[in-house]
Amino acid sequence: GSLVVNPPRPLMTIDELNALPPPSRDILQEALASSGNNGVWGHFLRDPTALISASRGCPHRCTFCSVAAFYKQSPGRAWRTRSVESIMREVNQIYELLGVKRFWFVDDSFLVSTSRAKELANAFANQDKNFRFGFAARADDIIKHKELFPELKRAGCEAVEIGLESGSQSVLDRYQKGTTVAQNLEAIDIVRRSKIRIIPDIILFDPWTTIEELRANVEFFRQSGLWGWVQTDILSYTLCACPGTLIFTRILEEGRATVVDPAGLEWECMNSNVRKVHKVITQFLKKYSGQIDTLLGILGDVQRLLADARSAAGLGNKELERLWIEFAIESAAMPRVPYALFADLVQEPQAAE
């Protein structure tokens, strides 16, 4: 026998997506029960969270993105969305089956359409079950739809994953993001002013990374207010070169790959100082990041207990109020330890030897 590869089928239309039955979730109760403390998502979405696909595809063409590479293989419109009625029907089915009130939209680009995002926000706002949700979006789409964010907040949006990728313009250009560092900063400010939590997507290391680009990212973290306030493992985030992407092809053509695998490529940074920074910060986080994140989780739980106690005691309890302030200061300093190490390494990479 021989391997037969069928030609790519056309992408499903909106009507076909609406007609699909919902995924079988009858065995997910145990998984949901354990999903409340799971890395980045657990830090922001502590309660059991169900995943929903409200749209498919993305109209953009970032060089590192497997989504664009995947959907260009088939004829059809790249970005398609289900109807709001179909989405809310699935939301309510999940709630009735599992009692889940928190949802994460796994859409590749949630804010492509203003009217659709507004309609979906209204649908959530009109529910009486106190649903909460989050999604991923590009910085320029956030700016384009900035007037929607107060509505999204009122509708129950509590977290947005922003595809920033970098605080260095040369890196953004390398990835053909079509965005600027200034836009990244503006998008962060829009989400923060709406009192919605930020989950930043950052790629700090790729084969062409320079020390100057890492320094630009340190400045970006500080200027944006993300410094020390997001998950510590972001400091070691590296490029994933997926097959079919333009970045995958470039790494192969330039001979930068150290391992070629069907799932992706392994590579090394060309700049020796960048390699030193990556090695030291990765080793540090491997040993200590989990302990720091666990401690932060415990501190957060204790903070909530103190808040409840302070509320019960009344605002006139000056001693408890002083303790609360001290505790908040100590907790805030904890996640900044890896950031301080990263900044020192970037400023003096030769010291990593």
Side-chain angles (χ1 to χ4, degrees):
S2 60
L3 181 66
V4 176
V5 180
N6 292 322
R9 63 166 176 79
L11 298 176
M12 298 185 76
T13 64
I14 292 175
D15 288 340
E16 288 172 330
L17 289 178
N18 286 331
L20 286 175
S24 176
R25 293 186 169 95
D26 55 313
I27 62 172
L28 291 184
Q29 188 68 59
E30 183 178 347
L32 283 168
S34 63
S35 70
N37 190 16
N38 182 22
V40 175
W41 314 111
H43 182 67
F44 291 102
L45 306 175
R46 288 188 173 275
D47 293 338
T49 304
L51 307 181
I52 291 185
S53 175
S55 67
R56 295 191 183 184
C58 178
H60 302 283
R61 293 292 180 267
C62 303
T63 61
F64 62 85
C65 186
S66 62
V67 174
F70 176 81
Y71 283 109
K72 75 178 182 181
Q73 304 298 320
S74 301
R77 184 179 176 184
W79 185 80
R80 296 138 295 139
T81 179
R82 295 164 54 192
S83 69
V84 171
E85 292 77 11
S86 170
I87 297 165
M88 295 309 298
R89 184 166 56 248
E90 184 176 355
V91 166
N92 283 290
Q93 286 174 347
I94 294 171
Y95 171 72
E96 292 170 4
L97 177 66
L98 300 168
V100 172
K101 293 186 176 183
R102 185 168 271 107
F103 305 89
W104 184 267
F105 288 100
V106 297
D107 302 34
D108 301 305
S109 189
F110 186 83
L111 290 178
V112 173
S113 167
T114 305
S115 59
R116 179 258 196 174
K118 185 180 183 68
E119 189 180 355
L120 191 54
N122 289 335
F124 266 89
N126 290 332
Q127 296 287 322
D128 59 358
K129 302 180 181 69
N130 195 31
F131 288 151
R132 295 289 181 265
F133 64 92
F135 57 83
R138 287 169 53 99
D140 51 352
D141 282 341
I142 289 172
I143 296 169
K144 183 168 64 174
H145 303 301
K146 61 184 177 182
E147 74 284 350
L148 277 178
F149 276 82
E151 296 181 48
L152 289 167
K153 174 65 177 179
R154 286 192 295 270
C157 181
E158 62 180 4
V160 174
E161 180 185 1
I162 308 178
L164 304 168
E165 317 316 340
S166 183
S168 165
Q169 192 59 51
S170 59
V171 177
L172 294 175
D173 295 342
R174 184 155 69 237
Y175 296 157
Q176 296 181 17
K177 280 291 294 186
T179 56
T180 66
V181 174
Q183 286 177 309
N184 282 347
L185 291 169
E186 184 178 356
I188 290 170
D189 185 59
I190 290 169
V191 177
R192 180 180 286 119
R193 282 190 285 106
S194 301
K195 294 181 170 51
I196 297 173
R197 293 186 181 274
I198 297 168
I199 302 172
D201 282 343
I202 295 286
I203 304 173
L204 283 180
F205 297 94
D206 66 32
W208 308 276
T209 301
T210 66
I211 284 293
E212 289 71 28
E213 289 171 342
L214 292 181
R215 289 171 181 162
N217 274 293
V218 169
E219 177 58 28
F220 171 76
F221 278 133
R222 287 174 169 155
Q223 189 175 356
S224 65
L226 296 177
W227 185 258
W229 291 101
V230 293
Q231 68 276 13
T232 54
D233 58 351
I234 197 173
L235 297 173
S236 63
Y237 279 7
T238 60
L239 171 73
C240 178
C242 298
T245 61
L246 294 175
I247 213 83
F248 180 97
T249 302
R250 180 181 174 184
I251 292 174
L252 283 181
E253 290 178 347
E254 293 185 7
R256 306 294 179 195
T258 56
V259 175
V260 180
D261 185 89
L265 300 177
E266 292 184 18
W267 45 264
E268 278 193 344
C269 297
M270 291 185 291
N271 187 297
S272 60
N273 284 331
V274 172
R275 287 200 302 271
K276 295 171 190 173
V277 172
H278 182 260
K279 179 180 178 181
V280 173
I281 197 68
T282 300
Q283 289 177 343
F284 175 83
L285 291 175
K286 184 177 180 180
K287 292 180 179 179
Y288 301 110
S289 181
Q291 297 175 357
I292 291 173
D293 289 340
T294 298
L295 180 57
L296 284 174
I298 295 172
L299 291 175
D301 291 338
V302 175
Q303 281 183 330
R304 281 185 287 277
L305 290 173
L306 278 174
D308 292 342
R310 182 168 177 254
S311 176
L315 294 177
N317 192 325
K318 296 299 183 181
E319 180 63 22
L320 192 56
E321 186 173 1
R322 182 190 61 79
L323 182 60
W324 168 261
I325 294 173
E326 290 181 2
F327 195 90
I329 293 173
E330 294 294 334
S331 300
M334 188 60 63
R336 299 187 181 186
V337 172
Y339 282 83
L341 173 61
F342 186 84
D344 287 345
L345 289 170
V346 168
Q347 292 304 320
E348 299 183 67
Q350 67 278 3
E353 295 188 82

